[in-house]
């Protein structure tokens, strides 16, 4: 059979392009009825099937599915953390397969990835400057939210070691040696340069700005900057903030996803609670003097750390304020203050808010605190007094708002209302809905229920959801008791104080007095206050302390503190007892009579296990210098000699130390020699020769 061969004329480039346009138009119109895919432009990688060097783990499935779209989707996913971008990548791939490129690419442009980029920009190290730390650890710090907790701990340890070496090297530079007048200050300035790009505040930075920083504070600051635990705490805090901030930007925090806090945040909070409980079960508190032990978990359950006890105490205090208000014919008001729309991430009905300022819940809380500070200042100037409670709780997208229950004199109500409203609407007052929703002032009607009943629901919701099992959350439409965990996780993650007392007597004094129980201290001023606290009568306690509108300087019974040195030889105030200022120091009553230490449970430890007042993790071997330092401290305490870190270092260097021409001491041959210059008495051990 003969074969006929026909040669077709070649197609010009213009004709080829024209044919391509015709075919594309056909597929756009009639192609939906054909079993074919849309014609897509090929990328350089799709032609040769070379795997791009910049391909991330998130992009790998997309590359295998639609490599010709790599040039389009790569800018969206290149810098996105995996825990955020994986969801969007899966959604994009499924949309592409089901509805084609137009729908998928539109989704990619309008989803939360662009907002995530705005958030990441806030944490980007733009200029390392003179910071050698930023240069050395740039990659890890730039990808901090993608790291695991263990990696963050390792990074903190590495930075602290590196910082310590930098300080040592700086001490050998000419800049330090030639600066005779400001040796310590030059080191501190060098440390500030290292921290500046990291957006981490150095210890005592506020004192430095005021020009009040001293030599001792600089030494302590450098010790902290060389400490691994200090860096780990700072980095873990940044890590947690960045991860949750990205989750908010991506839309993972809203009522259609996870209300108040992201699922990851809630999961991490639950896991941390579980670990804390396990640790508590394996610990005891031990009386340092007698050796008597109690299970630590049981003692924690009896304290204010127990949500049920914390809730009951808040209700007692609120009821006490209401009793005082009823006694003096005060009126109550329930107030709600909400931030402007730019602080909110997601609409109540769903959908991103376009004018979101990419802020965090902490930024919103800071705004609300500033508004309240202005209100308080104005009320004080006008001599208007209020008392009550403030509750901070989140909207469904994690943005905080405040509920405030306060009591006031009836004649002051209108003026207080006007002042509060003016400051609450001072920022963006004319945005849509501002006048109706940003500030609400509702008079409490005693015929409809008690004032405490108004706020009881909010207290329970923000602690443990007690008695709310059948209630529905107005914000999310879900069970209120279930939502209590999300609210608590939100508060823990952002470090937002949920409850704040307004006016009245301090609760710390109340708690310390209740430690004394029903005993009498034979003090005519403290005894009545102690009796009121012991029986749980907040109204009587407040009245005896000066009243609900008394200023702090007029409080009758106050807390007494004592200073203790921490690991950095920094003075830390600790509660020691209470006293009545009007009677002076002679009225001091010690409420912390027993010194306790946290030790491992004897059932779960061997006799060789270490004991600690804080934690029993890895036992750190002490150096001879540490042992010597401890001996000196013990001897000074034995002789009841007060000292500061500089004096201690003086003694360790083998120098004499003189106290006000009365006492002369020196550390000689691992023993403390004490000379009383007034009585010519010598406490020099007999085996030591010391001429003076």
């Amino acid at each position: 059979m003969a074969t006929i061969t026909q040669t077709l004329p070649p197609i010009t480039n213009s004709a080829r392009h024209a044919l391509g346009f015709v075919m594309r138009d056909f597929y756009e119109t009639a192609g939906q009825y054909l079993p074919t895919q849309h014609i897509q432009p090929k990328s350089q990688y799709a032609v040769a099937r070379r795997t791009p060097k910049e391909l991330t783990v998130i992009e790998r499935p997309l590359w295998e599915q639609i490599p010709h779209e790599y040039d389009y989707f790569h800018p969206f996913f290149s810098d996105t953390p995996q825990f955020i971008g994986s969801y969007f990548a899966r959604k994009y791939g499924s949309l592409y397969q089901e509805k084609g490129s137009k729908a998928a690419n539109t989704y990619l442009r309008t989803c939360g990835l662009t907002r995530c980029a705005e958030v990441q920009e806030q944490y980007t190290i733009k200029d390392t400057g003179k910071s050698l730390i930023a240069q050395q650890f740039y990659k890890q710090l730039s990808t901090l939210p993608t790291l695991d907790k263990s990696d963050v701990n390792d990074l903190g340890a590495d930075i602290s070691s590196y910082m310590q070496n930098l300080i040592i090297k700086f001490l050998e530079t000419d800049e330090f040696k030639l600066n005779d007048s400001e040796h310590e200050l030059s080191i501190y300035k060098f440390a500030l340069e290292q921290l500046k790009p990291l957006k981490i505040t150095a210890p005592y930075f506020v004192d430095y700005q005021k020009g009040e920083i001293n030599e001792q504070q600089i030494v302590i600051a450098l010790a902290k900057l060389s400490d691994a635990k200090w860096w780990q705490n700072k980095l873990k805090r940044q890590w947690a903030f960045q991860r949750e901030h990205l989750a908010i930007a991506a839309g993972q925090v809203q009522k259609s996803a996870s209300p108040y806090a992201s699922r990851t945040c809630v999961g991490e909070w639950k896991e941390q609670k579980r670990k804390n409980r396990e640790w508590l079960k394996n610990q005891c508190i031990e009386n340092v003097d007698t050796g008597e032990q109690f299970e630590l978990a049981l003692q924690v359950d009896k304290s204010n750390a127990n949500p049920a006890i914390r809730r009951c105490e808040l209700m007692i205090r609120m009821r006490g304020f209401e009793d005082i208000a009823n006694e003096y014919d005060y009126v109550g008001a329930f107030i709600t203050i909400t931030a402007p729309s730019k602080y909110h991430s997601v609409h109540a009905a769903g959908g991103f808010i376009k004018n979101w300022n990419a802020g965090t819940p902490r930024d919103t809380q800071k705004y609300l605190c500033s508004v309240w500070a202005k209100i308080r200042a104005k009320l004080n100037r006008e001599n208007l007094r209020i008392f009550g409670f403030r509750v901070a709780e989140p909207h469904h997208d994690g943005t905080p708002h405040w509920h405030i229950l306060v009591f006031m004199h009836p004649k002051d109500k209108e003026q207080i209302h006007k002042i509060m409203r003016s400051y609450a609407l001072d920022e963006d007052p004319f945005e849509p809905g501002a006048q109706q929703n940003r500030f609400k002032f509702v008079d409490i009607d005693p015929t409809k229920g008690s004032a405490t009943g108004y706020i009881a629901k909010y207290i329970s919701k923000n602690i443990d959801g007690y008695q709310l099992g059948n209630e529905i959350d107005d914000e999310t439409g879900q069970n209120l008791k279930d939502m209590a965990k999300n609210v608590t996780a939100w508060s823990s993650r952002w470090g937002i104080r949920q409850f704040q007392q307004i006016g009245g007597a301090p609760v710390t004094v109340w708690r310390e007095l209740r430690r004394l129980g029903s005993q009498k201290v034979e003090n005519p001023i403290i005894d009545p206050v102690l009796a009121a606290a012991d029986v749980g009568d907040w109204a009587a306690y407040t009245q005896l302390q000066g009243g609900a509108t008394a200023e702090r300087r007029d409080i009758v019974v106050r807390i007494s503190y004592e200073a203790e040195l921490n690991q950095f030889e920094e003075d830390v105030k600790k509660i020691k007892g209470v006293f009545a200022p009007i009677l002076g120091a002679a009225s001091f009553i010690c409420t912390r009579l027993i010194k306790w230490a946290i030790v491992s449970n004897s059932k779960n430890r061997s006799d060789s296990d270490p004991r600690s007042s804080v934690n029993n993790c890895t036992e750190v071997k002490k150096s001879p210098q540490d042992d010597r330092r401890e001996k000196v401290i013990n001897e000074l305490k034995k002789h009841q000699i007060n000292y500061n870190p500089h004096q201690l270092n003086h003694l360790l260097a083998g120098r004499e130390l003189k106290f006000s021409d009365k006492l002369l001491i020196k550390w000689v041959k691992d023993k403390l020699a004490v000379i009383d210059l007034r009585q010519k008495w010598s406490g020099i051990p007999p085996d030591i020769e010391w001429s003076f």
Side-chain angles (χ1 to χ4, degrees):
M1 179 182 292
T3 302
I4 301 174
T5 303
Q6 185 176 2
T7 304
L8 297 175
I11 301 176
T12 63
N13 289 335
S14 59
R16 186 182 292 109
H17 286 299
L19 180 61
F21 283 121
V22 171
M23 292 177 66
R24 178 175 292 278
D25 291 339
F26 171 78
Y27 275 102
E28 289 291 340
T29 54
Q32 57 181 316
Y33 304 107
L34 301 176
T36 56
Q37 297 292 331
H38 294 282
I39 296 177
Q40 303 296 339
K42 300 285 185 179
S43 72
Q44 56 173 320
Y45 302 106
V47 177
R49 295 293 296 177
R50 297 193 310 270
T51 303
K53 293 181 180 179
E54 298 84 6
L55 192 70
T56 64
V57 176
I58 302 172
E59 298 171 314
R60 172 65 68 175
L62 296 177
W63 163 256
E64 294 174 353
Q65 178 188 348
I66 43 175
H68 49 273
E69 291 285 3
Y70 174 80
D71 292 334
Y72 186 83
F73 66 67
H74 177 67
F76 292 95
F77 294 109
S78 58
D79 297 324
T80 305
Q82 186 176 354
F83 72 96
I84 291 292
S86 297
Y87 166 79
F88 292 105
R90 289 194 300 271
K91 183 74 173 176
Y92 173 69
S94 62
L95 275 176
Y96 198 100
Q97 189 172 11
E98 295 170 6
K99 299 184 178 181
S101 64
K102 186 175 182 180
N105 292 341
T106 300
Y107 165 77
L108 206 57
R109 290 194 306 271
T110 57
C111 70
L113 285 177
T114 53
R115 289 154 48 104
C116 288
E118 293 179 32
V119 168
Q120 284 183 289
E121 184 69 18
Q122 298 179 26
Y123 302 104
T124 302
I125 300 177
K126 298 180 177 64
D127 182 15
T128 58
K130 297 181 180 179
S131 175
L132 298 176
I133 289 179
Q135 297 172 19
Q136 179 70 18
F137 300 97
Y138 180 82
K139 183 178 180 181
Q140 297 96 312
L141 292 170
S142 298
T143 58
L144 187 63
T146 65
L147 303 179
D148 293 327
K149 274 190 177 180
S150 58
D151 296 329
V152 176
N153 283 330
D154 293 341
L155 178 60
D158 292 341
I159 292 179
S160 66
S161 177
Y162 189 79
M163 185 69 183
Q164 188 175 20
N165 291 333
L166 287 179
I167 293 173
I168 293 173
K169 290 180 180 179
F170 182 79
L171 296 176
E172 300 172 355
T173 62
D174 294 336
E175 180 182 352
F176 174 76
K177 293 178 180 179
L178 298 176
N179 193 347
D180 297 330
S181 59
E182 296 182 335
H183 269 109
E184 291 76 13
L185 195 58
S186 62
I187 304 176
Y188 189 80
K189 289 179 179 178
F190 170 75
L192 290 180
E193 289 179 351
Q194 304 306 309
L195 268 64
K196 185 177 180 180
L198 278 58
K199 298 178 182 176
I200 292 178
T201 305
Y204 299 107
F205 182 67
V206 175
D207 296 295
Y208 167 76
Q209 287 181 313
K210 294 178 180 178
E212 299 174 356
I213 192 168
N214 57 44
E215 179 183 337
Q216 181 181 355
Q217 290 174 329
I218 292 175
V219 172
I220 294 172
L222 295 177
K224 288 184 176 182
L225 292 173
S226 303
D227 181 68
K229 194 69 177 177
W230 187 89
W231 277 100
Q232 287 166 351
N233 289 337
K234 293 291 183 182
L235 292 177
K236 279 192 289 189
R237 187 178 176 84
Q238 281 197 350
W239 173 84
F241 285 171
Q242 290 185 34
R243 284 175 68 89
E244 190 66 4
H245 196 182
L246 285 167
I248 291 172
Q252 294 181 1
V253 181
Q254 57 176 307
K255 64 181 179 182
S256 61
S258 178
Y260 307 131
S262 66
R263 291 190 179 92
T264 303
C265 174
V266 176
E268 289 171 352
W269 174 80
K270 289 180 179 178
E271 177 63 16
Q272 188 60 52
K273 294 283 285 185
R274 185 195 65 78
K275 288 182 178 179
N276 291 347
R277 194 65 189 178
E278 287 297 319
W279 183 83
L280 289 173
K281 288 179 180 178
N282 294 323
Q283 306 299 316
C284 288
I285 56 170
E286 181 180 84
N287 187 321
V288 174
D289 298 323
T290 65
E292 188 178 13
Q293 292 186 358
F294 301 93
E295 290 186 21
L296 182 58
L298 294 178
Q299 303 309 310
V300 170
D301 290 341
K302 295 177 184 178
S303 72
N304 218 50
N306 185 331
I309 293 177
R310 187 163 68 253
R311 171 174 41 79
C312 289
E313 183 190 78
L314 282 166
M315 296 298 291
I316 288 171
R317 291 159 63 191
M318 189 64 246
R319 182 67 201 187
F321 275 158
E322 184 177 4
D323 290 341
I324 294 174
N326 292 336
E327 182 179 350
Y328 289 94
D329 294 325
Y330 277 29
V331 295
F334 190 73
I335 303 158
T336 302
I337 301 178
T338 305
S341 62
K342 64 186 178 185
Y343 290 95
H344 296 257
S345 173
V346 181
H347 288 287
F352 293 140
I353 293 179
K354 294 181 179 180
N355 65 328
W356 180 51
N357 62 7
T360 68
R362 283 178 66 86
D363 296 328
T364 311
Q365 180 73 356
K366 187 177 179 181
Y367 159 78
L368 293 171
C369 288
S370 67
V371 170
W372 186 248
K374 294 173 184 176
I375 291 173
R376 274 178 36 214
K378 180 64 174 177
L379 293 178
N380 288 335
R381 289 194 298 270
E382 299 294 332
N383 198 27
L384 301 172
R385 297 287 179 259
I386 60 174
F387 59 94
F389 272 92
R390 180 271 290 165
V391 179
E393 69 169 11
H395 286 295
H396 74 108
D397 62 352
T399 306
H401 62 286
W402 285 11
H403 295 297
I404 307 169
L405 177 58
V406 291
F407 300 96
M408 68 209 80
H409 198 282
K411 67 179 179 64
D412 298 332
K413 188 183 73 170
E414 291 303 323
Q415 190 177 358
I416 290 173
H417 183 184
K418 183 179 179 181
I419 291 172
M420 287 186 173
R421 184 176 182 83
S422 64
Y423 284 109
L425 296 173
D426 183 52
E427 187 172 326
D428 299 338
F430 303 113
E431 66 177 358
Q435 300 295 323
Q436 297 79 23
N437 302 317
R438 290 258 303 276
F439 179 80
K440 295 180 180 180
F441 191 101
V442 180
D443 295 333
I444 292 177
D445 186 353
T447 62
K448 295 182 179 179
S450 68
T452 306
Y454 272 80
I455 205 169
K457 176 180 176 181
Y458 298 97
I459 290 176
S460 183
K461 174 186 174 182
N462 284 273
I463 295 182
D464 57 359
Y466 177 74
Q467 291 291 338
L468 297 178
N470 298 322
E471 296 283 338
I472 300 299
D473 187 6
D474 295 334
E475 279 280 339
T476 65
Q478 300 185 36
N479 185 280
L480 264 178
K481 188 175 179 65
D482 295 338
M483 289 296 97
K485 295 183 177 63
N486 289 42
V487 173
T488 309
W490 166 84
S491 172
S492 175
R493 173 56 57 98
W494 293 110
I496 291 176
R497 186 176 184 177
Q498 293 172 280
F499 307 101
Q500 176 70 52
Q501 180 178 311
I502 301 169
V507 69
T508 308
V509 177
W510 158 278
R511 292 169 182 163
E512 286 303 304
L513 289 173
R514 286 177 62 83
R515 294 170 67 94
L516 297 174
S518 58
Q519 62 179 293
K520 282 191 173 183
V521 295
E522 305 300 332
N523 186 303
I525 292 180
I526 297 179
D527 272 331
V529 184
L530 171 58
D534 180 49
V535 298
D537 191 339
W538 181 262
Y541 164 78
T542 302
Q543 294 289 68
L544 290 167
Q545 282 280 57
T549 59
E551 296 187 13
R552 284 302 166 110
R553 63 172 177 267
D554 299 326
I555 296 298
V556 174
V557 181
R558 300 185 194 176
I559 290 292
S560 176
Y561 297 92
E562 66 174 352
E564 289 188 6
L565 295 177
N566 62 11
Q567 60 176 324
F568 301 109
E569 297 185 353
E570 183 180 28
D571 284 336
V572 178
K573 284 186 177 181
K574 291 194 174 182
I575 297 174
K576 186 64 177 176
V578 296
F579 76 106
I582 195 172
L583 299 178
S587 63
F588 168 75
I589 305 296
C590 182
T591 58
R592 307 293 176 104
L593 300 172
I594 302 174
K595 187 174 183 180
W596 300 94
I598 298 176
V599 299
S600 295
N601 194 321
S602 57
K603 297 178 182 179
N604 301 322
R605 68 175 175 88
S606 63
D607 293 338
S608 61
D609 285 344
R611 297 188 177 194
S612 166
S613 61
V614 179
N615 198 342
N616 282 320
C617 298
T618 306
E619 184 177 10
V620 181
K621 294 183 178 180
K622 291 185 177 180
S623 65
Q625 291 82 2
D626 292 332
D627 291 334
R628 185 163 173 258
R629 191 181 196 86
E630 190 173 336
K631 285 181 181 178
V632 175
I633 291 173
N634 290 336
E635 284 295 318
L636 290 170
K637 288 181 178 179
K638 180 180 176 182
H639 289 83
Q640 297 183 343
I641 298 174
N642 295 323
Y643 63 92
N644 60 42
H646 293 286
Q647 292 170 331
L648 180 61
N649 293 333
H650 222 67
L651 284 175
L652 290 169
R655 302 173 187 171
E656 300 174 3
L657 197 60
K658 199 172 184 180
F659 289 91
S660 305
D661 297 328
K662 297 177 182 178
L663 203 64
L664 187 67
I665 61 175
K666 186 175 182 180
W667 185 255
V668 186
K669 295 183 179 179
D670 288 338
K671 293 182 180 179
L672 189 68
V674 183
I675 310 298
D676 191 329
L677 300 177
R678 297 168 299 176
Q679 302 178 11
K680 301 299 182 182
W681 172 82
S682 172
I684 303 176
D687 58 335
I688 294 179
E689 295 181 2
W690 185 23
S691 59
F692 57 92

